[in-house]
Amino acid sequence: MDTTSQEQTKKFEPPAATAAAAVETATQTGSKTRVSARDVNVHYGEKQALFDVSIDIPDRGVTAFIGPSGCGKSTFLRCLNRMNDTIEGCRVTGKILLDDVDIANPDLDVVELRARVGMVFQKPNPFPKSIYENVAYGPRIHGMTSSKDELDEIVYSSLRRAGLYEEVKDRLDQPGTGLSGGQQQRLCIARAIATKPEVLLMDEPCSALDPIATAIIEELIDELRENFTIVIVTHSMQQAARVSQKTAFFHLGKLIEEGPTEQIFTNPLDKKTQDYITGRIG
Amino acid sequence: MVEPSSEHIVSSYEDELKELARLISEMGGLVEQAVTNSVNGLVRMDDELARGVVKSDQEVDDMQRRIDDLAVSMIARRQPMASDLRQIISTIHVATDLERIGDMAKNIGRRTIEIGDRQMSAQLYSGLKHMSELALRQIDRALDVFNARDEIGAVEVCRRDDELDSLYMSLFREFLTYMMEDPRNISDCTHLLFCAKNLERAGDHATNIAEAAYYLKTGKSLVLESDSMGTVG
């Protein structure tokens, strides 16, 4: 993090109404809001992909986005760390506050934002480098450490937190790409948490993994939620039901319903949610 | 409180849910018949009818097992959600209650065989007959509201259980008087008293079925303020 980018980072004061709404949600769910989105619209060229999405994402919990393909859940997830910036013709409007900072602000340092909002993708994508370097890369480029010992400590603790350390401690210098699919995904999680992000975005993190590797990742998500705010996009409703405390259902670019996971899966209020989770609409 | 409109994309899932509903209806029919026969056997002192009720309880038990097996298999294979999950869970509950009502009918059948052809006061029998009509109406209505997912009807069924309870209490007092009048009545009166208790319990199970209907429709438990203190015994 250099000083220029710090200066460029403008703080955004939330309007009173939004703050009040956030406080209200926080009281309802019993935890404070970490990310607050209001009236988010996304266009890809002429096509509108998201319509007026407003949602509060609680701190230190798992929020799951579900919905059929093309419903906008991944598009919205990608708004949370400005990944949509990389897509040509993509236009995002509305407000997304991470704590009090408007992350849609064009002057915001996106590199710093992505250190605060980490991401794990559908397919494990370790760098073609050693296991150690995969995890050390982020902290190094963000200048988080001043000595090799400190860097070692971050790498080891991140690997430990990702539940991978015991399996790889004797071959940290070997390529990350040589690990199994499930191990690679845990390596990517270790890489994402090495920069000590506040929010961890997961875009179908288990869809390329077998059931056992999936169970290990789910167990890990359960542990990580003590320290991180996790947002997961998943096509497996059972997974959403298992790992999340809050679930949001998207359909045709709109946020149809959000609520406590238990309520969404046992007694949803909206007919579209009901029809989707019971397998009546695709 | 949302109802699914369309059918499942997976048609065999839809078929299984329909089969579950069909089995409950069939089991409900069997149980209602058992209660009717048991009370008819009692008031007409029809030993044959009573034996038939005792025998047919096996059929009810088998039915419950079939429903349980299908429900468990569906949970394992389909991972049901929302209203489907509620339908499966409440069906398990209803099948358990129906099986218990079947047991009540069986008990009445057994006591009828025990009483044999010893004639008791016609007044006592008419009280029991009236109770059985009330209990049967409650069971029938409860099965209807479950089938129709009618939460308002479900509340009505629960509220009407008080009638059955007070009828039981008045019969209870009548039996006591009868026993005090002549201790030789004690043995048969006790049998009849237990039969009345069985009918009162059958009514409680009908209430449970109505509660299951309410949960099925709304996803919430039905909590009613009751001013009665319940029944004795």
Side-chain angles (χ1 to χ4, degrees):
Chain A
M1 178 164 36
D2 60 30
T3 37
T4 351
S5 71
Q6 256 183 333
E7 282 162 9
Q8 278 174 353
T9 308
K10 288 186 181 160
K11 302 280 175 193
F12 180 83
E13 288 297 320
T18 314
V23 168
E24 195 186 326
T25 312
T27 326
Q28 281 163 2
T29 56
S31 82
K32 77 181 184 81
T33 296
R34 182 41 70 99
V35 180
S36 175
R38 288 293 175 272
D39 305 318
V40 175
N41 286 278
V42 177
H43 290 80
Y44 292 119
E46 289 298 301
K47 194 184 175 313
Q48 187 162 3
L50 272 188
F51 300 81
D52 296 321
V53 174
S54 297
I55 186 172
D56 287 324
I57 295 176
D59 188 28
R60 285 162 206 248
V62 182
T63 302
F65 293 168
I66 58 168
S69 293
C71 69
K73 56 191 189 302
S74 289
T75 297
F76 183 65
L77 188 79
R78 293 160 64 87
C79 289
L80 303 181
N81 69 346
R82 298 266 298 265
M83 287 290 285
N84 288 321
D85 287 13
T86 58
I87 298 169
E88 202 171 324
C90 180
R91 192 156 47 84
V92 181
T93 60
K95 268 182 199 115
I96 303 173
L97 304 182
L98 168 58
D99 296 326
D100 290 336
V101 183
D102 183 3
I103 64 178
N105 183 345
D107 295 335
L108 189 85
D109 178 355
V110 182
V111 176
E112 192 216 341
L113 171 70
R114 289 182 194 147
R116 290 178 65 189
V117 184
M119 190 153 187
V120 177
F121 297 87
Q122 187 170 356
K123 218 169 151 261
N125 55 353
F127 302 136
K129 290 170 178 285
S130 72
I131 293 169
Y132 183 94
E133 279 305 316
N134 261 280
V135 185
Y137 184 79
R140 194 180 282 136
I141 63 159
H142 287 289
M144 289 170 62
T145 57
S146 52
S147 70
K148 174 83 170 76
D149 284 352
E150 267 184 80
L151 188 59
D152 282 354
E153 184 45 41
I154 289 184
V155 170
Y156 299 157
S157 72
S158 303
L159 283 170
R160 259 189 217 104
R161 275 179 142 170
L164 188 61
Y165 183 75
E166 288 303 318
E167 292 164 51
V168 299
K169 61 181 177 192
D170 301 324
R171 45 176 170 147
L172 290 173
D173 55 343
Q174 309 222 339
T177 46
L179 297 170
S180 74
Q183 287 172 328
Q184 284 188 24
Q185 195 62 307
R186 276 179 283 150
L187 179 61
C188 293
I189 293 173
R191 183 178 66 189
I193 61 180
T195 56
K196 300 192 175 13
E198 294 147 60
V199 181
L200 200 54
L201 308 178
M202 297 182 156
D203 194 354
E204 298 198 44
C206 301
S207 60
L209 304 182
D210 69 46
I212 300 296
T214 299
I216 295 170
I217 301 282
E218 287 182 6
E219 170 67 12
L220 177 59
I221 290 172
D222 210 41
E223 283 166 17
L224 291 175
R225 79 181 163 92
E226 284 178 24
N227 297 301
F228 301 94
T229 298
I230 297 173
V231 187
I232 180 170
V233 163
T234 173
H235 268 145
S236 159
M237 280 175 281
Q238 279 70 36
Q239 180 168 64
R242 286 191 299 260
V243 302
S244 71
Q245 289 76 51
K246 176 173 181 167
T247 297
F249 169 61
F250 288 78
H251 190 242
L252 300 175
K254 292 185 177 127
L255 173 62
I256 304 294
E257 183 172 356
E258 48 145 324
T261 296
E262 202 180 303
Q263 179 238 313
I264 296 284
F265 287 107
T266 58
N267 196 12
L269 302 176
D270 193 283
K271 207 177 78 57
K272 283 199 194 83
T273 318
Q274 160 85 27
D275 284 350
Y276 178 69
I277 61 173
T278 57
R280 286 174 170 90
I281 53 166
Chain B
M1 197 173 88
V2 206
E3 282 302 301
S5 50
S6 48
E7 296 208 333
H8 273 277
I9 296 166
V10 181
S11 61
S12 56
Y13 189 2
E14 193 68 31
D15 292 345
E16 286 176 6
L17 285 169
K18 283 182 183 149
E19 173 67 2
L20 214 50
R22 193 193 64 75
L23 286 170
I24 278 289
S25 295
E26 194 183 331
M27 188 178 178
L30 279 177
V31 167
E32 283 180 295
Q33 192 58 54
V35 175
T36 309
N37 288 349
S38 71
V39 177
N40 282 341
L42 179 70
V43 296
R44 293 179 201 158
M45 286 175 295
D46 185 338
D47 200 70
E48 274 307 300
L49 200 52
R51 284 180 200 282
V53 172
V54 175
K55 211 168 160 224
S56 71
D57 189 52
Q58 188 58 49
E59 217 179 317
V60 174
D61 290 356
D62 291 344
M63 203 78 193
Q64 189 204 3
R65 215 162 293 130
R66 271 174 69 192
I67 290 171
D68 275 1
D69 287 349
L70 178 56
V72 166
S73 143
M74 286 176 76
I75 291 170
R77 289 178 297 112
R78 311 271 187 206
Q79 288 92 43
M81 296 282 191
S83 68
D84 297 334
L85 177 63
R86 299 205 302 273
Q87 185 189 338
I88 293 171
I89 296 299
S90 49
T91 297
I92 296 173
H93 283 298
V94 171
T96 309
D97 281 306
L98 285 175
E99 191 273 331
R100 294 295 297 145
I101 297 174
D103 287 348
M104 301 294 139
K106 184 172 73 175
N107 284 344
I108 294 174
R110 278 188 179 148
R111 289 183 189 279
T112 304
I113 298 165
E114 196 66 32
I115 294 171
D117 53 6
R118 290 190 297 277
Q119 182 67 50
M120 307 275 295
S121 150
Q123 203 190 336
L124 290 179
Y125 285 114
S126 82
L128 271 173
K129 182 78 183 158
H130 182 47
M131 242 194 119
S132 75
E133 281 160 8
L134 216 58
L136 273 168
R137 198 185 65 199
Q138 282 288 84
I139 297 165
D140 191 49
R141 191 80 188 103
L143 286 167
D144 279 352
V145 299
F146 183 73
N147 196 33
R149 304 181 181 206
D150 169 6
E151 82 273 30
I152 297 163
V155 176
E156 273 171 33
V157 172
C158 293
R159 290 202 195 283
R160 296 194 91 150
D161 185 54
D162 283 352
E163 282 178 50
L164 204 52
D165 289 350
S166 13
L167 195 53
Y168 168 73
M169 284 312 289
S170 71
L171 266 180
F172 176 73
R173 279 190 291 269
E174 241 178 282
F175 283 126
L176 276 190
T177 324
Y178 211 63
M179 288 190 257
M180 282 187 287
E181 272 171 17
D182 185 348
R184 279 174 299 180
N185 287 332
I186 289 177
S187 162
D188 287 348
C189 268
T190 308
H191 281 309
L192 293 186
L193 185 58
F194 273 116
C195 290
K197 183 67 198 169
N198 284 153
L199 290 171
E200 188 273 323
R201 288 294 300 145
D204 290 344
H205 289 294
T207 308
N208 290 349
I209 294 172
E211 284 171 0
Y214 186 88
Y215 169 74
L216 170 59
K217 178 66 191 283
T218 65
K220 298 185 184 91
S221 301
L222 177 58
V223 185
L224 288 178
E225 296 264 325
S226 175
D227 48 358
S228 79
M229 296 291 287
T231 54
V232 183

